[in-house]
């Protein structure tokens, strides 16, 4: 049997999603972004929504996400992706809009934008990559950096008195009535990646069904920022990140209806 | 003749937006321009034209909603007042860098800081020289009447789309709050998605179709050679605006020996000052820049050939005077250019303008 006898359509068991192009990714070895990009491309392709999906990329390592997935993209200012997505989605309600943001972008500089977009129940998907560090600027402390974690701006470890607490923003988002699906996932093993893919698919299906904001956190590795090898980084994440950022669905349901917020029609009352 | 109404300047901005086929307004309340969003919410244009109106959580969010919606080829408006425009500066810089059209209305109040809610023209530098980071310019229109608040909404959108550049209507609290007779524009339907795809499908994020490459709205370019090319392209655009878009009004300049230079509310006051001065036998004229960028450098330079001097009248510490001095200087004539103005929300009276003119320029 020769190679040409094996490489045949009927023998194909896996292929890269067509939306994921052949551009060389700028991500470091061991970085989770590449896997999440692939899952994202697979989900968009599987749902057949590539012609109506608009991605909003952040400032941070994934600023160039638009170089790798062949859909229309809008590159936002630092932290503002949920506002940009709101603008796109509101004037194009038939489109599927998602943001792809890191922890510095979403949970620090962009806290106001994500909280209010989710609280309005914007029909968008938010993909939140939490690697507990600022990757692109060289490994500084993020809002999600763990206590004691060494970064470029916490050389002796994150100190509670100086730096405050790591922010569990996904749990906060899960409290907002505008969200329908809030989940925390990871992509460090094939099984975890499959679960993450499922979560992403549900989030996009919710957006298509106008079910409010769907939010998927992916607890991720940053081997360069953490100064670890890719394998060590996976282990460090399991040992240190997962206990504080537990994997699983935080909310899976419907966004709240007005009944929960009105005892009577206030407009009529005031009139 | 269009429909005549008695309206506030701020209300007219809202009405004109609906009538010119605007797709969306995103804003945040701030005095003295809150009537823009209030009027829109009362008019409920989403039922009438499908226009989206959304109150954002901040000016930062408003301008980024504008950024997102404008990226899809839609006609998008926001409005604010001075402190709010400062918050929007980041977003405006991104919109200029990503070459998107949009209209921003600044109903100025006095500063710096929280300052006052009274009228001011102290954001001249901020509006005409960039405002945010990086080398960019806005197209800046300065209305001096409620009628122009109406007319400039459509004009600003036309210019914004012609150049794919943000345009600003630089009003002030006086124009925003005062009521005047206004002839409203006729209704123009919003563009359909098909029209947008046909006209702007080569750049707008309308969803990547199989027959075109993807569209990416971004201001980012890490390759310095390519970024410099972007900068040069922006500059060429600004030079073209200077060639083609200068707008101004000359009032009694033909035989004038002294020229007042004023925009917006100040120009309104100076019209009266010209009358008072003329009654006194003084040959005074007024040039009113309508576009603050591009600035009417050439007509001022031409006036410098034959007049005795200029006085700018501004509700700030003297900002536009720098552009007037440049224009006069470029003409090769060393004519005096002086400034008179009030600050802190005080509007100069026509009489004190004439007094300053007599004392500082004619007698000086």
């Amino acid at each position: 049997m020769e190679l040409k006898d094996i490489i045949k359509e009927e023998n194909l068991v896996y292929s890269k999603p067509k939306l994921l192009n052949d551009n060389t990714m700028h991500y470091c070895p061991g970085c989770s972004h590449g896997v999440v990009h692939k899952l994202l491309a697979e989900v968009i392709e599987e749902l057949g929504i590539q012609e109506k999906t608009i991605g909003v990329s952040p400032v941070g390592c994934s600023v160039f996400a638009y170089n790798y997935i062949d859909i229309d993209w809008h590159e936002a200012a630092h932290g503002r992706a949920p506002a940009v997505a709101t603008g796109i989605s509101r004037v194009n309600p038939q489109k599927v809009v998602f943001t792809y943001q890191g922890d510095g972008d979403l949970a620090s500089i962009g806290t106001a934008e994500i909280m209010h977009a989710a609280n309005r129940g914007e029909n968008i998907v938010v993909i939140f990559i939490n690697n507990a560090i600022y990757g692109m600027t060289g490994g500084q402390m993020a809002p999600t950096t763990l206590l004691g974690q060494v970064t470029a701006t916490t050389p002796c470890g994150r100190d509670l008195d100086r730096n405050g607490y790591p922010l569990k923003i996904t749990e906060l988002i899960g409290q907002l009535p505008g969200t329908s699906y809030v989940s925390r996932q990871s992509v460090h093993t094939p099984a975890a990646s499959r679960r993450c893919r499922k979560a992403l698919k549900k989030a996009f299906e919710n957006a298509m069904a106008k079910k409010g904001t769907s939010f998927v956190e992916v607890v991720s590795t940053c081997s360069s920022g953490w100064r670890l090898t890719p394998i060590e980084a996976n282990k460090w994440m399991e040992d240190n990140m997962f206990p504080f950022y537990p994997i699983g669905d935080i909310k899976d349901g419907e966004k709240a209806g007005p009944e929960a917020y009105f005892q009577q029609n206030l407009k009529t009352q005031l009139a | 003749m269009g429909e005549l109404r008695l309206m506030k300047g701020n209300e007219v901005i809202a009405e004109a937006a609906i009538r010119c086929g605007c797709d969306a307004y995103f804003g945040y309340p701030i005095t003295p321009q809150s009537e823009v969003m209030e009027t829109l919410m009362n008019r409920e244009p989403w039922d009438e034209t499908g226009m989206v109106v959304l109150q954002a959580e901040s000016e930062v969010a408003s301008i980024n909603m504008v950024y997102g919606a404008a990226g899809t080829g839609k006609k998008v408006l926001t409005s604010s007042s001075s402190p709010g425009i400062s918050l929007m500066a980041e977003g405006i810089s991104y919109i200029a860098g990503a070459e998107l059209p949009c209209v921003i209305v600044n109903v100025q109040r006095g500063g710096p800081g929280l300052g006052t809610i009274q009228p001011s023209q102290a954001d001249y530098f901020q509006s005409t020289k960039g405002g945010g980071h990086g080398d960019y310019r806005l197209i800046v229109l300065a209305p001096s009447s409620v009628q122009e608040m109406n007319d400039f909404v459509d004009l600003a959108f036309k210019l914004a789309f012609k150049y794919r550049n943000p345009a600003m209507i630089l009003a002030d609290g006086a124009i925003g709050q005062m009521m005047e007779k206004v002839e409203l524009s006729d209704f123009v339907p919003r563009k359909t998605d098909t029209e947008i795809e046909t006209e702007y499908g080569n750049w707008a994020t309308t969803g990547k179709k199989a027959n075109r490459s993807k569209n990416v709205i971004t201001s980012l370019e890490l390759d310095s050679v390519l970024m410099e090319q972007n900068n040069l392209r922006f500059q060429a655009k600004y030079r073209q605006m200077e060639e083609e878009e200068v707008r101004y009004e000359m009032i009694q300049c033909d035989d004038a020996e002294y020229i007042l230079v004023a925009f917006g509310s100040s120009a309104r006051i100076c019209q009266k000052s010209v009358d008072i001065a003329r009654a006194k036998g003084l040959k005074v004229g007024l040039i009113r820049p309508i576009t603050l960028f591009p600035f009417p450098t050439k007509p001022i330079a031409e006036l410098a050939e034959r007049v005795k001097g200029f006085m700018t009248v501004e509700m700030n510490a003297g900002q536009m005077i720098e552009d007037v001095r440049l224009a006069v200087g470029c003409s090769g004539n060393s004519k005096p250019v002086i400034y008179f103005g009030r600050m802190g929300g005080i509007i100069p009276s026509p009489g004190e303008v004439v007094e300053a003119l007599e004392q500082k320029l004619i007698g000086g």
Side-chain angles (χ1 to χ4, degrees):
Chain A
M1 187 182 273
E2 287 179 42
L3 202 59
K4 66 176 172 50
D5 300 317
I6 299 169
I7 303 175
K8 284 179 177 172
E9 191 68 31
E10 61 265 30
N11 292 335
L12 188 68
V13 290
Y14 174 79
S15 68
K16 184 170 73 70
K18 289 189 190 70
L19 287 180
L20 198 66
N21 59 36
D22 291 330
N23 289 340
T24 306
M25 286 188 178
H26 70 288
Y27 301 118
C28 307
C31 173
S32 308
H33 276 309
V35 182
V36 182
H37 281 21
K38 189 203 74 167
L39 298 177
L40 176 60
E42 280 180 359
V43 165
I44 295 170
E45 205 164 278
E46 187 183 325
L47 294 170
I49 53 173
Q50 53 268 41
E51 293 201 359
K52 61 174 185 174
T53 299
I54 297 159
V56 183
S57 64
V59 170
C61 287
S62 48
V63 65
F64 286 123
Y66 56 74
N67 279 340
Y68 310 124
I69 302 176
D70 285 336
I71 54 168
D72 280 357
W73 283 92
H74 194 126
E75 206 288 298
H78 199 20
R80 318 296 177 222
V84 171
T86 298
I88 298 170
S89 172
R90 287 284 177 136
V91 295
N92 299 280
Q94 74 288 5
K95 297 277 164 41
V96 182
V97 185
F98 72 90
T99 73
Y100 188 107
Q101 304 176 256
D103 42 54
D105 193 87
L106 182 138
S108 187
I109 196 167
T111 319
E113 285 76 18
I114 185 58
M115 293 301 274
H116 286 278
N119 194 50
R120 285 190 302 266
E122 298 294 340
N123 292 311
I124 59 172
V125 175
V126 177
I127 300 162
F128 169 42
I129 306 296
N130 176 13
N131 55 16
I133 207 159
Y134 282 69
M136 179 159 268
T137 45
Q140 295 84 8
M141 181 187 72
T144 50
T145 293
L146 300 173
L147 285 183
Q149 186 182 338
V150 172
T151 71
T153 49
T154 54
C156 300
R158 181 175 183 153
D159 175 67
L160 183 57
D161 290 339
R162 183 176 293 116
N163 309 115
Y165 302 89
L167 184 58
K168 291 189 177 189
I169 196 154
T170 307
E171 276 80 355
L172 290 176
I173 298 288
Q175 294 294 313
L176 300 175
T179 56
S180 55
Y181 181 55
V182 178
S183 183
R184 182 182 284 126
Q185 299 292 333
S186 70
V187 291
H188 65 305
T189 64
S193 296
R194 277 195 296 276
R195 285 191 293 271
C196 183
R197 188 184 189 283
K198 214 172 138 190
L200 290 172
K201 193 177 170 192
K202 180 178 276 186
F204 274 89
E205 283 170 342
N206 281 358
M208 291 163 72
K210 309 288 170 220
K211 284 183 155 182
T213 306
S214 291
F215 187 101
V216 180
E217 171 181 342
V218 185
V219 180
S220 299
T221 53
C222 179
S223 31
S224 297
W226 295 353
R227 307 281 188 266
L228 298 173
T229 66
I231 291 169
E232 288 166 350
N234 265 352
K235 179 83 171 61
W236 192 88
M237 178 173 72
E238 286 183 63
D239 292 347
N240 300 284
M241 297 275 281
F242 290 175
F244 192 75
Y245 299 114
I247 304 299
D249 287 351
I250 290 168
K251 177 178 182 180
D252 184 6
E254 302 288 328
K255 69 174 181 179
E259 312 77 34
Y261 286 82
F262 287 111
Q263 292 184 318
Q264 52 188 307
N265 191 326
L266 290 180
K267 195 177 174 185
T268 312
Q269 188 189 32
L270 291 173
Chain B
M1 187 88 175
E3 191 183 340
L4 286 178
R5 293 248 202 104
L6 178 67
M7 288 178 87
K8 263 192 181 189
N10 288 337
E11 295 167 349
V12 164
I13 292 286
E15 188 63 37
I18 298 168
R19 286 172 181 248
C20 82
C22 183
D23 292 295
Y25 171 93
F26 302 99
Y28 184 80
I30 182 171
T31 309
Q33 63 78 55
S34 297
E35 294 88 351
V36 178
M37 185 162 45
E38 288 171 5
T39 306
L40 283 166
M41 291 295 186
N42 275 312
R43 283 280 274 105
E44 302 185 345
W46 45 90
D47 284 338
E48 191 178 337
T49 70
M51 179 182 176
V52 170
V53 188
L54 184 63
Q55 179 170 339
E57 65 270 29
S58 66
E59 288 90 348
V60 175
S62 313
I63 195 67
N64 282 285
M65 290 172 186
V66 169
Y67 182 32
T72 69
K74 304 276 183 177
K75 266 171 116 164
V76 196
L77 174 76
T78 186
S79 66
S80 189
S81 180
S82 310
I85 298 290
S86 293
L87 280 171
M88 290 186 184
E90 175 200 47
I92 296 172
S93 171
Y94 275 69
I95 295 170
E99 293 186 271
L100 296 181
C102 73
V103 175
I104 302 143
V105 181
N106 181 1
V107 183
Q108 295 169 93
R109 53 189 261 182
L114 206 46
T116 169
I117 58 169
Q118 302 300 331
S120 166
Q121 296 181 321
D123 301 346
Y124 179 89
F125 283 151
Q126 187 194 43
S127 319
T128 60
K129 311 299 178 194
H133 61 283
D135 269 324
Y136 73 90
R137 296 301 180 111
L138 305 176
I139 300 158
V140 185
L141 299 170
S144 73
S145 65
V146 173
Q147 185 64 52
E148 284 187 337
M149 290 289 256
N150 175 80
D151 301 348
F152 287 1
V153 171
D154 185 53
L155 175 62
F157 271 119
K158 286 202 168 87
L159 294 173
F161 274 85
K162 177 177 175 185
Y163 292 95
R164 273 180 59 194
N165 199 72
M168 177 174 276
I169 296 175
L170 188 68
D172 62 62
I175 305 276
Q177 292 295 329
M178 78 182 176
M179 293 185 87
E180 278 190 300
K181 184 177 78 175
V182 57
E183 183 187 347
L184 297 174
S185 307
D186 293 334
F187 281 90
V188 176
R190 289 172 52 235
K191 280 203 163 78
T192 63
D193 284 354
T194 314
E195 286 170 335
I196 288 172
E197 182 68 47
T198 311
E199 288 180 51
Y200 314 128
N202 59 337
W203 58 265
T205 49
T206 52
K208 186 197 170 300
K209 307 299 174 294
N211 62 359
R212 70 157 168 84
S213 53
K214 68 182 163 199
N215 289 333
V216 178
I217 304 293
T218 183
S219 56
L220 177 66
E221 182 49 73
L222 292 185
D223 183 328
S224 299
V225 173
L226 296 179
M227 188 63 219
E228 189 183 43
Q229 284 173 11
N230 286 351
N231 285 127
L232 289 169
R233 190 175 68 250
F234 302 159
Q235 293 303 317
K237 205 159 73 168
Y238 308 146
R239 298 296 86 79
Q240 189 193 341
M241 292 172 192
E242 287 171 340
E243 286 297 314
E244 296 179 17
E245 308 303 342
V246 173
R247 287 164 171 80
Y248 59 92
E249 184 184 12
M250 295 249 214
I251 295 166
Q252 302 200 47
C253 287
D254 287 350
D255 65 339
E257 294 177 343
Y258 299 96
I259 299 289
L260 298 175
V261 191
F263 67 94
S265 291
S266 298
R268 265 313 256 286
I269 293 151
C270 286
Q271 285 183 41
K272 183 72 180 167
S273 305
V274 168
D275 292 342
I276 296 170
R278 290 264 167 183
K280 285 182 158 187
L282 303 168
K283 288 188 173 173
V284 176
L286 166 68
I287 181 164
R288 172 172 80 94
I290 293 171
T291 50
L292 301 182
F293 185 87
F295 191 73
T297 304
K298 220 165 136 186
I300 291 173
E302 283 166 9
L303 284 169
E305 300 285 338
R306 57 183 170 82
V307 302
K308 291 180 180 168
F310 297 83
M311 186 172 87
T312 70
V313 179
E314 308 177 56
M315 281 147 60
N316 57 42
Q319 299 190 11
M320 183 179 64
I321 188 172
E322 294 191 4
D323 288 324
V324 177
R325 279 192 177 133
L326 271 177
V328 173
C330 289
S331 75
N333 296 283
S334 62
K335 299 289 170 65
V337 180
I338 63 160
Y339 146 87
F340 173 74
R342 298 297 300 267
M343 289 172 281
I346 294 175
I347 300 172
S349 75
E352 66 181 327
V353 170
V354 176
E355 204 175 304
L357 183 70
E358 286 182 295
Q359 286 174 5
K360 293 169 74 177
L361 188 61
I362 301 175

